[in-house]
Amino acid sequence: MNVRAQDVVALRVSVCVAVMAASIAALREGAGGGILWVAVLVGLPIAFVVGYLTRRTRPLLLRVAQSVLAVGIMVSFLSGIHQLSDLAGLQVPLAQAFLWLLLLHALDTPNRHGLLVLLVASLVLVSLAGVLSISMAIAPWLLIWGFAALVALGLAYRAELEELPGLGAAAAPRLGRATLAVPAAILALVLLVGFGVFMLVPVAGTNRALTFPSQLPDDTPVRSDGDLSNPSLGGRDPSRSGSKSSSPRASFGYFGFSKQLDTSLRGRPDDTLVMRVRASSPDFWRGQTFDRWNGRVWTVSDDRPRLIRGEEPIGIPRVPVDGPAQSALDVDELVQTYYLEEAGPNAIFAANQATKVYFPDRGIFQNQDGSLRAGVRLDPGTVYTVVSQRPLVTPDALRVVRPESVPDDIAIQYAASPVTTERVRALARSVTASAPTTYDKVLAIQEWLGTHTEYSLDIPRLPKGADAVDQYLFVDRRGFCEQIGTSLVVMLRELGIPARLAVGYTPGERNPFTGLYEVKASDAHAWAEVYFPGVGWQGFDPTAEVPFAGDSQIDSAGTGALSYLSARLDIPSEVLVGISIAVGVVGLAFVVRSLRRRPARVAISRSWASQRLARLESLGAARGRPRAPNETTPTYVRALGALAPAHDDALGHVGATIDAAMFAFEPPDRAELESIDGLLRSIESGWSDSTNPADLVPTR
Amino acid sequence: VPRPILVPKAAVILELIGLALFIIARTTGAGWDIVLLCGVIAVIITGSLLPAFVLSRVTVRAQAPADATVGRPLRIELTVHGHAVKLRVLTFESDWVRIDTPTTGPLVVTPNRRGVMTRMRVEVVTAAPLGLARWRRRILVPLPTPVEVAPRREPTRCPIVVGDTQTPSELAHLAAGGIELTRGVREYADGDPIRSVHWPATARTGAVMVREYEGPRRPIVVIVVDLRGPDPELVASRAAGMADDALRAGARVELATAEVDGPRTGVVPTPLHVGRRLARATVGPPPRGPFPAGATVHRLGGDTA
């Protein structure tokens, strides 16, 4: 009897595993609470068992209950979402509703189609989990889901095939080593092909975003509205000024996120992951800027932020120091969503220049330099989205900027002669003597710094009363980002070019799988911002590779995937490529071998008649009477009957039946075939060996 | 050469989901959905190309009886080296059968046209291993023994002209299977078998008389089959039916047909031979004669069809 797909238990098990893996992936990303966990871990397997047991009967009561519950789920879903303000809030309720519907559907899977629908639904659920996921934690569940789905697809096809009658007496394949090994090999092949595709498909990006996530797990306000708070600095938290707290700085705390930046201070943040940023291209994630320099410490000349109120999205006005709005360059919109992993400063990081902020609070604060602050503590789990407009800057575009058109207020605040030594001033002039444009001057200074100084985190303590820039450029010749950025700003100001020191984070490492930049505490950075009339403030730093907006295109989703995996697996990229290709080739070879089954290695399944005739032939050959090439079955059995008269009748009967099974239109029925088998066994066991071999001459 | 024939619903749904994943990823920035999209594309690529490879490795051998008749089942013995494919014979009518592993077994097919089949066309289809895209391959399988497919028998009466030396009772005797007829009696001679003694004549004449036998004078029927008309298969079927009828009536039947080598006239002693001759008959001018004297000549096909 041919097997029908709905009766194949292995197919149901693989679909169940795929659905459970998809459900767990979604639940791990926060798609549901305890009840859904229980429903998935306990309810789903039970539903699959019920679906199997009722596949033929399909009780009416069960189907009515299913329909009622499905309507209830949809009503609950619709009533829950009609108050949502944006699409981002739809993801979790949608995943929950989908999970419940999957559970209900698992109860009614009477056929292959129903099982495949569940498989497709699990793919939808996995994609929802993918939208919710910002980390690698989903990866193992994706692999389990992928493997189970491949097994299910393969079994579904085999089950479809098994509904046809088979040729010959070949046994239908059963669940075994090959049933799992072939999908494993196919999975390896799919992973290799998928990786190749990954290198070609465009990056997900966020510039066409329909959803702008924002979330505030705790709305504890900072001590005073608009004040800068940075609990990661412990006793140096600027919001605790005046208190005598001596709590230590967190390992990920950065001194730059404060009211002042003392370049003589040591202490670098560690590699703690502080936040993830979803953005379609890298940029400096700026926290704040400093404009006043005293030779050792940076401070902010006007630290009186103003409150901006409004509903999401909160529009961010331009501040006077941003200069006139018109730009000769094309502008792109960079959407950035920040997912905070550690409790850091209440600065709202943003690529310059922020225009809209999706932040779930009554308002935010804007400093005089345009940087933003929250009025509440930003704890782990905080999510906000910033939309920035960036002129598509390129080196050529910056070279044509006319420096004389700098607005006066910007020139006064940012281009006044800085506090520094004469030799620093002289150096600035000599280094840039042959640079015709502002941009070339910046490059000339950067080049000089790169040639004559060394980046190092291990520098001598700044002597008391010493000028930090002078010490770095002429004495130590070693320094880190604060020294380098400060030197660049001071030298540019000496040339009359508006510049300031910005602090924040470099883009961090892009995780090609999540599409998010993973920003570590050690990515905290200080860099120079230079004002270009008609363009705005542009970040420069010789130690961080942050491309201009006009140059920062990430073409394919897989960009950097190899180096990312290489770093995490601690395997060189070249070796990783070799291993990947080897795995793919082995997978392909295994699949090919499994599908090919060369006849030289695999015995051909022979028909009943051929097998019995072979037994007769071996019986005769063992007694010195092999079958001649031109001998028909009846002739041969007659010859054998002559040699063993006691078995003459039996042999004749066997021969006639074999002949009929081979050639007759109506082959013998199963009972007759079985009786022939018994007869053949009795001949094999009862044939006397006393026959004289000399009498055995083949008939020709 | 394997060719894609069908993209099943599962593949279409996967493609639509892939498109949806791309849109979702582009509008949410979800990197994992791009990873999923790549996985879906990889599955579609792998699942679409592997069947072609599976098919390219399939080999088929076949053995069939020498004689067959249109519309009557025919058992052929197939040996297929393949895996997870389904197969049917195109040359004859056949149902799909499943091939799980290299297999030898019988397949019952039904010839649907007359002719001499020296090879047969087999279609193999698979979507293995994932069932996402179906590919087919048509294989020409040489037959070690050509199959001569006789036409379907169209019952057709064959009028026989009775010759002057034949009587209706003789014809009846011939049709009943009689072999010899008594032509007269003569005196006994040495060597005559005792069973041939004709006792009434012996009693009447007083001498031992024996029967004198003479072989039957069988009527000769020539059927000229011309397949150049509009429905050659019907003509062949009628010719077969007519020849059978004539054979049943005890006539000596000759078939005049066109074959690949040219016109041919020959005696067909049994229905089996009728089938074989008509299997080989092709469209062309049949022999014009001469035919045996006294033969009843029937012309089928051509303008008379």
Side-chain angles (χ1 to χ4, degrees), chain B residues 2-23:
Chain B
R3 295 177 193 281
I5 53 168
L6 187 64
V7 179
K9 270 192 288 186
V12 173
I13 290 169
L14 266 186
E15 283 159 15
L16 289 177
I17 288 180
L19 181 65
L21 280 172
F22 183 72
I23 293 169

Side-chain angles (χ1 to χ4, degrees), chain A residues 646-680:
Chain A
H647 299 294
D648 189 21
D649 290 343
L651 281 166
H653 189 40
V654 169
T657 309
I658 290 174
D659 218 31
M662 276 183 169
F663 301 112
F665 285 123
E666 294 297 331
D669 60 23
R670 179 168 290 278
E672 191 172 352
L673 296 181
E674 285 171 1
S675 77
I676 291 299
D677 277 343
L679 212 50
L680 196 53

Side-chain angles (χ1 to χ4, degrees), chain B residues 29-289:
Chain B
W32 279 117
D33 278 10
I34 287 287
V35 174
L36 272 174
L37 169 67
C38 295
V40 168
I41 293 173
V43 167
I44 292 173
I45 291 174
T46 311
S48 300
L49 295 183
L50 277 180
F53 185 81
V54 173
L55 283 186
S56 69
R57 311 303 303 177
V58 171
T59 60
V60 182
R61 281 183 289 145
Q63 277 194 316
D67 296 292
T69 304
V70 171
R72 297 182 63 181
L74 169 72
R75 278 167 65 93
I76 54 178
E77 191 84 356
L78 285 180
T79 300
V80 186
H81 293 129
H83 181 78
V85 298
K86 60 180 187 177
L87 175 147
R88 68 173 173 173
V89 178
L90 293 175
T91 306
F92 308 117
E93 282 179 9
S94 79
D95 293 326
W96 289 104
V97 288
R98 178 186 82 240
I99 312 292
D100 288 320
T101 54
T103 308
T104 292
L107 178 67
V108 176
V109 298
T110 309
N112 52 8
R113 67 185 180 88
R114 180 187 57 82
V116 181
M117 312 298 173
T118 56
R119 56 190 186 173
M120 66 180 188
R121 189 180 290 269
V122 167
E123 184 173 64
V124 194
V125 171
T126 189
L130 299 178
L132 292 182
R134 290 182 200 285
W135 288 65
R136 75 161 179 227
R137 184 177 160 214
R138 289 180 173 165
I139 306 170
L140 276 177
V141 183
L143 292 166
T145 310
V147 183
E148 292 179 309
V149 182
R152 194 190 303 272
R153 258 60 175 182
E154 177 80 20
T156 309
R157 240 191 115 250
C158 181
I160 301 171
V161 177
V162 178
D164 53 1
T165 58
Q166 291 164 323
T167 63
S169 63
E170 285 177 352
L171 279 177
H173 192 74
L174 278 170
I179 298 171
E180 295 172 317
L181 293 172
T182 304
R183 304 301 301 168
V185 293
R186 60 171 170 79
E187 281 194 31
Y188 177 81
D190 287 345
D192 284 337
I194 191 69
R195 64 179 174 83
S196 62
V197 174
H198 190 258
W199 295 110
T202 301
R204 193 168 57 243
T205 61
V208 179
M209 303 297 283
V210 294
R211 291 187 185 87
E212 196 174 37
Y213 297 107
E214 186 179 275
R217 288 165 295 161
R218 304 176 67 192
I220 299 172
V221 174
V222 178
I223 302 172
V224 182
V225 184
D226 187 348
L227 299 181
R228 291 176 295 178
D231 194 348
E233 297 310 309
L234 180 63
V235 172
S237 294
R238 283 180 180 163
M242 187 177 272
D244 285 357
D245 188 55
L247 285 172
R248 272 196 300 275
R252 195 177 86 129
V253 180
E254 291 186 17
L255 275 178
T257 58
E259 292 191 2
V260 175
D261 300 331
R264 182 182 167 197
T265 304
V267 177
V268 282
T270 65
L272 181 67
H273 291 87
V274 171
R276 285 179 178 170
R277 281 292 311 281
L278 288 172
R280 291 181 218 131
T282 60
V283 177
R288 294 182 178 175

